[in-house]
């Protein structure tokens, strides 16, 4: 269960964009603590995520927004200042193992001043998105987007362990036609390299069965074109 | 070298936010093709990334924006429709090995209708951010943010043994010869698929410069064999 918590957001467009992102990345709940924006203005920026604003839970204080979750993740663009244990951060790609299977609140502070130290203290971790050290401050909704994307990505990758393989039949045909073409062109013993390099590159690089079939078709047409021409030529001579 | 290319952007806030993201994630250049927004309005949303809008290169057509880069990455929220080779996509986390050490253009389409098929065709890969299947359409600047973050993350994490990339020259030659061969074989408009699938599989799959050169040699020999035969035939007849 993923809950996004916005603490005193100040920009209509950010609140709207975040609702849209909640829909894009299948968030479960949106909580807003003491909003400084007009929600009906924000809806204009929410596109297909409008329902998240219509159903957003508006609360008056921070504690109400983090009640009944298992793990609370504060966020900040200021992190890892030397000697400041509270601001030691985890990175977005370290988040998933911590929250997997749990009820999590992802907590985002005010555009102007972020979260207070007290709010960070009440949370379990501080998450920081690394960026250009000379200007690391992301706009609020863009930070939300990156973190939700990173969680979504990990959910998806875990569910399907890379089953994008191509059939043995297509591998055989790629092998056969690259070999046949190389034999047509072969001048020296060194030329076997053409066959090996091409075959391997294609088999490594091909994305799925559909792409494999198009490539086999291409190789076969190259072959028949050469053979066809050379038959014609031998008929003439 | 990373260039962000916006094609006919329509929203001031998006253009401004993207300038800010360019600064957050150390982009090198911002190109805008035929902007539909007022740039000075957009600057209001750019915060610390103002300089990217002041220095943005405004061009009149798509080709000018992708000149002089090594690899062109189109983006779309519509991808992987069955049977559509052109829209087969790579994912953000698959991008870095393809662009490492190269001059790359990351190309983003119009908020309303995205990139045209012709614009995707002129690019080398189509990148797609996976999201909620029932509402996968991200707002433009949020898509830019996620992709720039993913590149930034990889730059930082790797830092960087994996420099087994191939040269821009080899990419150009692979592109050129697969396109030339496809044109020799072309019978129907559908046949562009052969070119797209073959080029992408080889560029993805090729392991190093040595292998790339052998493959280019193979493609060139296939081409000269066909051309040579057909010259002979036309001399005879």
């Amino acid at each position: 269960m993923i809950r996004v918590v916005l603490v005193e957001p100040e920009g209509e467009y950010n609140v709207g964009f975040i609702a849209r992102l909640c829909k894009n990345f299948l968030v479960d709940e949106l909580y807003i603590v003491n909003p400084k924006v007009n929600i009906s203005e924000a809806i204009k920026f929410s596109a297909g995520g409008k329902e998240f604003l219509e159903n957003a839970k508006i609360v008056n204080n921070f504690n109400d927004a983090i009640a009944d979750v298992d793990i609370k993740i504060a966020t900040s663009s200021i992190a890892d200042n030397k000697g400041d244990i509270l601001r030691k951060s985890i990175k977005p790609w370290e988040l998933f193992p911590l929250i997997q299977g749990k009820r999590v609140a992802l907590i985002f502070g005010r555009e102007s001043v972020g979260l207070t130290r007290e709010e960070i203290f009440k949370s379990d971790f501080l998450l920081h998105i690394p960026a250009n050290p000379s200007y690391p401050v992301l706009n609020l909704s863009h930070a939300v987007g990156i973190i939700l994307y990173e969680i979504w990505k990990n959910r998806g990758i875990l569910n399907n362990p890379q089953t994008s393989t191509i059939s043995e039949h297509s591998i055989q045909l790629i092998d056969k036609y690259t070999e046949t073409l190389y034999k047509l062109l072969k001048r020296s013993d060194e030329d076997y390299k053409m066959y090996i390099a091409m075959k391997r590159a294609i088999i490594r690089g091909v994305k799925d069965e559909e792409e494999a079939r198009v490539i086999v078709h291409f190789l076969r047409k190259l072959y028949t074109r050469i053979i066809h021409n050379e038959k014609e030529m031998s008929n003439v001579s």
Side-chain angles (χ1 to χ4, degrees), chain A:
Chain A
M1 195 286 296
I2 297 173
R3 175 186 304 174
V4 167
V5 177
L6 305 181
V7 180
E8 304 194 338
E10 297 151 355
E12 266 92 15
Y13 47 87
N14 274 331
V15 173
F17 286 139
I18 289 166
R20 179 170 176 173
L21 288 163
C22 286
K23 178 83 174 185
N24 290 144
F25 294 118
L26 272 180
V27 162
D28 298 285
E29 299 173 344
L30 176 60
Y31 274 56
I32 309 179
V33 181
N34 197 13
K36 305 298 182 190
V37 303
N38 182 330
I39 299 291
S40 34
E41 281 301 306
I43 283 180
K44 294 177 186 167
F45 296 89
S46 64
K50 192 178 165 192
E51 67 199 63
F52 277 88
L53 282 178
E54 289 167 345
N55 302 323
K57 186 116 185 207
I58 311 293
V59 297
N60 286 325
N61 69 72
F62 185 82
N63 292 342
D64 293 345
I66 57 170
D68 64 47
V69 299
D70 303 320
I71 188 160
K72 301 173 276 288
I73 310 291
T75 57
S76 181
S77 60
I78 305 170
D80 303 308
N81 327 31
K82 202 166 156 44
D84 188 349
I85 293 286
L86 189 68
R87 286 195 184 269
K88 283 213 181 299
S89 74
I90 57 169
K91 303 296 171 283
W93 56 91
E94 297 168 337
L95 182 59
F96 192 72
L98 295 172
I99 65 171
Q100 195 175 4
K102 300 201 175 57
R103 296 171 59 85
V104 56
L106 302 170
I107 308 160
F108 298 88
R110 304 145 190 90
E111 285 93 331
S112 52
V113 295
L115 294 170
T116 63
R117 286 185 71 86
E118 194 192 342
E119 287 159 353
I120 298 172
F121 185 82
K122 287 178 178 169
S123 308
D124 299 303
F125 289 94
L126 182 71
L127 187 150
H128 170 70
I129 300 172
N132 181 353
S134 81
Y135 186 58
V137 186
L138 298 175
N139 176 52
L140 172 60
S141 64
H142 294 83
V144 173
I146 286 166
I147 292 166
L148 293 181
Y149 155 79
E150 188 77 64
I151 295 171
W152 175 268
K153 184 176 97 172
N154 281 288
R155 282 178 175 174
I157 289 174
L158 292 184
N159 291 344
N160 33 14
Q162 286 284 34
T163 37
S164 70
T165 44
I166 60 169
S167 70
E168 305 85 69
H169 184 59
S170 291
I171 292 180
Q172 280 164 17
L173 289 176
I174 289 166
D175 188 17
K176 174 183 141 189
Y177 282 109
T178 48
E179 185 174 18
T180 310
L181 285 169
Y182 129 79
K183 281 183 177 162
L184 283 175
L185 301 176
K186 181 172 185 266
R187 288 280 174 84
S188 80
D189 286 345
E190 283 294 280
D191 283 345
Y192 75 93
K193 288 181 183 175
M194 299 191 303
Y195 158 55
I196 296 295
M198 180 72 98
K199 176 182 79 169
R200 289 183 180 174
I202 294 174
I203 293 173
R204 269 197 305 260
V206 72
K207 200 144 185 105
D208 58 22
E209 189 60 19
E210 193 178 1
E211 205 175 71
R213 288 208 191 112
V214 173
I215 289 169
V216 167
H217 179 68
F218 195 169
L219 294 170
R220 188 191 295 119
K221 285 195 93 162
L222 284 169
Y223 172 70
T224 53
R225 175 70 157 259
I226 292 173
I227 292 302
H228 172 80
N229 288 345
E230 293 178 8
K231 265 196 195 137
E232 296 257 312
M233 288 163 75
S234 66
N235 288 345
V236 170
S237 57

